[in-house]
Amino acid sequence: MQVMILMALVRADMPDISSQRYLKRRGHVYDCERCIRSKELFYNRSIYGQVGSHLLEEDIDITATYTDASGVVRISTVKSKDLSASWVWQNPDNKSHDQLYNDQVKEHLFQPVRETVESSGPTDKHRSGEEIIPYQEEAPMNPLKLKRRQLRQERKQSRTSELMQLDKNAENQMQAEAIERSQKLNTTARGKYSIWRKDYENQNTDFTLKLMRDQVIMAKAYGSIAQSKNEIGLYNSLMKHIKESQRAIGEASSDAELHPRALDRAKSMGHALSLAKDALYDCFVVARKLRAMIQSAEGNINAMKKKSAFLIQLAAKTLPKPLHCLSLQLANDYFLQDYGSERQNTDKLEDPSLYHYAIFSDNALATSVVVNSTVLHAKEPEKHVFHIVTDRLNFASMKMWFIVNTPVGATVQVENIDNFKWLNSSYCSVLRQLESARIREYYFKANHPSSLSDGADNLKYRNPKYLSMLNHLRFYLPEVYPKLDKVLFLDDDIVIQKDLTPLWSIDLQGMVNGAVETCKESFHRFDKYLNFSNPKISQNFDPNACGWAFGMNIFDLKEWKKRDITGIYHRWQDMNEDRTLWKLGSLPPGLITFYNLTYPLDRSWHVLGLGYDPALNQTEIENAAVIHYNGNYKPWLDLAVTKYKSYWSKYVMFDNPYLQQCNFNE
């Protein structure tokens, strides 16, 4: 006999407990009348333990229709003997029997009773279809296990309640804090435009000055919008407040420098901005206006940068009035007193056993500081010889200064570069380039396309001093001093703070030039000075090679002559006539000429940067043997870094009559 059963696949862990119990313990059977009577007999007997075991002798084919997990209806046939003992026959219409069964289960929940179902029924084919699977009650749960389950459930509920309470407390606390902050916020403060800015809450900063500057910017934006919308009254009000705020700000850089009524101006401006915002505020329009203002400000900044670069170069290269006065006074006395006919003893000038210095300069005052500071720290001043070379224009003043201010014990020689007859255009590449019409136009014609658009870097190299022979004479030291073995080259913008005689005893290990390297990480390496896009440079030099500084260099002239250093210099200068290998100046050709021929000295010998870097280490400056004011901020200019100027000025003889006459002040 086939019986149709409607089943639903349900997972064992679904939350619907009643459905689980229903499917797990019972199955719906819809059959004929005789089957129903057999099922009722089974229920009645199973409750009182009267169902016979012979019912299991016959098997029943059950055709089941069910829905799988994907929702597809499926049909399957099972044997009644394959069902578990928990499956029972049930009449859906017999509700009283269900109640009796439930009561019986509750009554025997904790009683480990095992019942046998027996039945004596007919044995014919039809009667065999009435035989049912015996119902066997499951063993009741252990009381201890049930107690643990109850305790776990209680702990879970307790923890859930606790977490919900914590979340509620945290939410209440956050709400209370937010309410407290909102109550403390004074939204009616008239003088506090942009009150959401945290930096305006910090009383330790110059927030009033910043606030007023921001107010001026916003007032200009709203003023422009008001003018475009023909809001003349509002426009005039904003313009008035802008002028008042700008007068209150003035040149102030901190709140302490503001006008006493600056805060009142800020409050008035805040009120005006509030009115403007109420009347004109449109997010898109305001954003567009601010973008336009930013672009305009960037253009003005770039123009000012170019102008500033030009003016800095002009101020750095222009001779100050006191220095011009000093040069004129010295030259006048030199010719009036006829010092030109005097002859100097040349014995010490060519003695290689003495300490020889080479200084090439057109600044008498700066050169005097170099000589004075060197002699002051020398242990044996009488062994020090200074060879000074200047141009024809400044020769008389330089000569006169050292005639009347000869350093004690030391020997000073002053020469005119124009007297070096061997230094001519046929021998010197720089002089030959100077005669080029293109170079003269580049440097000396105002209508050349070298306007302020060139920028700071190009303006620096447009200075004709970079073609001056005083700047390039350092590459001709063996020709200038043919009888000397070693020479210490010094720039005129340095100060000596220690005895330099140990430099002559340093073993250069076959190198020509002894110098302090200037590279730090990626700074001051060859690729910063030379054009490595040109194969002439890239194929001969390492872009990561460390740079070094002119200003204090010990040169081995014997090794110089052996390696023909001047010839190397000439060859590279000729290749750079079109200025494609490097910009003009003496350092790039120096790096090339002395490539792999420079011995690195200890950094304490030479500290650079006092002419441009105000953040140098003070200890390094004070411990250095030589400090160098390389850069635009020379110590004799008003541009000089104030805290570095004293290192130089203490070697200036301010009580000298010439300096007093030309108004030099400490």
Side-chain angles (χ1 to χ4, degrees), residues 10 82 108 111 115-116 169 196 330 427 503 508 555 569 584 604:
V10 183
D82 295 335
H108 296 281
Q111 297 179 9
E115 299 182 0
T116 304
N169 293 339
W196 58 86
L330 290 169
Y427 177 66
L503 287 171
L508 298 181
F555 289 109
Y569 165 74
L584 294 175
S604 63

Side-chain angles (χ1 to χ4, degrees), residues 63-184:
T63 301
T65 303
Y66 62 94
T67 303
D68 62 10
S70 62
V72 179
V73 177
R74 299 185 182 276
I75 299 176
S76 179
T77 302
V78 297
K79 297 290 185 179
S80 61
K81 287 186 177 182
D82 295 335
L83 297 175
S84 66
S86 63
W87 288 83
V88 297
W89 302 101
Q90 177 184 355
N91 184 359
D93 298 330
N94 193 353
K95 297 181 180 179
S96 61
H97 204 293
D98 289 347
Q99 181 66 32
L100 179 62
Y101 173 79
N102 292 335
D103 294 342
Q104 186 67 21
V105 169
K106 292 179 181 178
E107 179 180 352
H108 296 281
L109 180 63
F110 297 107
Q111 297 179 9
V113 178
R114 189 179 186 89
E115 299 182 0
T116 304
V117 180
E118 298 180 355
S119 176
S120 59
T123 60
D124 58 3
K125 183 68 178 175
H126 185 76
R127 294 289 298 237
S128 65
E130 293 180 352
E131 292 179 5
I132 60 177
I133 300 174
Y135 172 75
Q136 184 176 1
E137 183 68 42
E138 287 184 353
M141 183 179 293
N142 189 310
L144 182 60
K145 186 174 182 180
L146 181 63
K147 184 65 176 177
R148 287 199 301 266
R149 178 182 293 178
Q150 292 175 348
L151 291 175
R152 284 197 300 270
Q153 188 66 21
E154 290 176 0
R155 286 197 300 269
K156 183 186 294 184
Q157 293 177 354
S158 175
R159 181 59 179 166
T160 302
S161 176
E162 182 181 352
L163 291 175
M164 292 177 63
Q165 186 65 28
L166 288 176
D167 291 343
K168 187 174 182 180
N169 293 339
E171 183 178 358
N172 293 337
Q173 183 178 0
M174 291 175 61
Q175 291 178 354
E177 292 176 354
I179 293 173
E180 184 179 0
R181 286 196 302 270
S182 64
Q183 290 175 348
K184 291 181 179 180

Side-chain angles (χ1 to χ4, degrees), residues 403-446:
I403 289 175
V404 298
N405 299 289
T406 304
V408 178
T411 302
V412 178
Q413 177 193 28
V414 179
E415 295 182 276
N416 183 357
I417 193 173
D418 292 334
N419 293 332
F420 299 155
K421 301 304 180 182
W422 51 267
L423 197 61
N424 50 58
S425 59
S426 62
Y427 177 66
C428 178
S429 301
V430 173
L431 288 176
R432 186 165 57 253
Q433 293 174 12
L434 191 58
E435 294 176 355
S436 168
R438 183 175 55 181
I439 295 295
R440 288 200 301 268
E441 182 182 8
Y442 180 80
Y443 278 99
F444 302 112
K445 286 194 175 182

Side-chain angles (χ1 to χ4, degrees), residues 252-268:
S253 58
S254 63
D255 286 355
E257 300 175 5
L258 288 173
H259 190 275
R261 295 183 58 81
L263 188 58
D264 294 335
R265 302 295 186 196
K267 292 180 180 179
S268 300

Side-chain angles (χ1 to χ4, degrees), residues 573-627:
Q573 277 288 1
D574 291 339
M575 286 191 288
N576 192 48
E577 186 172 0
D578 56 356
R579 302 185 304 280
T580 59
L581 303 185
W582 68 83
K583 295 179 180 180
L584 294 175
S586 59
L587 182 56
L591 296 175
I592 289 177
T593 302
F594 297 102
Y595 183 62
N596 289 333
L597 295 174
T598 300
Y599 178 82
L601 301 177
D602 188 271
R603 291 184 181 273
S604 63
W605 279 110
H606 189 187
V607 170
L608 298 98
L610 280 75
Y612 68 88
D613 187 359
L616 293 177
N617 187 293
Q618 203 78 9
T619 303
E620 290 184 0
I621 294 175
E622 294 174 354
N623 293 334
V626 175
I627 55 176

Side-chain angles (χ1 to χ4, degrees), residues 319-381:
L319 189 65
K321 184 177 179 180
L323 280 177
H324 184 61
C325 168
L326 178 63
S327 179
L328 291 177
Q329 292 294 334
L330 290 169
N332 182 64
D333 289 350
Y334 177 79
F335 291 110
L336 286 177
Q337 300 180 26
D338 194 20
Y339 284 109
S341 59
E342 292 189 0
R343 299 300 176 188
Q344 191 171 15
N345 186 3
T346 60
D347 294 340
K348 286 187 175 182
L349 300 179
E350 299 177 350
D351 187 353
S353 63
L354 301 180
Y355 305 112
H356 294 268
Y357 302 84
I359 306 172
F360 306 145
S361 173
D362 57 2
N363 189 330
L365 183 64
T367 305
S368 71
V369 170
V370 177
V371 174
N372 292 341
S373 60
T374 304
V375 173
L376 183 63
H377 293 94
K379 296 180 179 179
E380 299 176 298

Side-chain angles (χ1 to χ4, degrees), residues 59 114 119 166 186-187 237 301 303 343 366-367 369 487 497 537 556 581:
D59 197 2
R114 189 179 186 89
S119 176
L166 288 176
N186 183 10
T187 58
S237 174
I301 289 173
R343 299 300 176 188
T367 305
V369 170
V487 170
Q497 300 186 130
I537 296 295
D556 186 340
L581 303 185

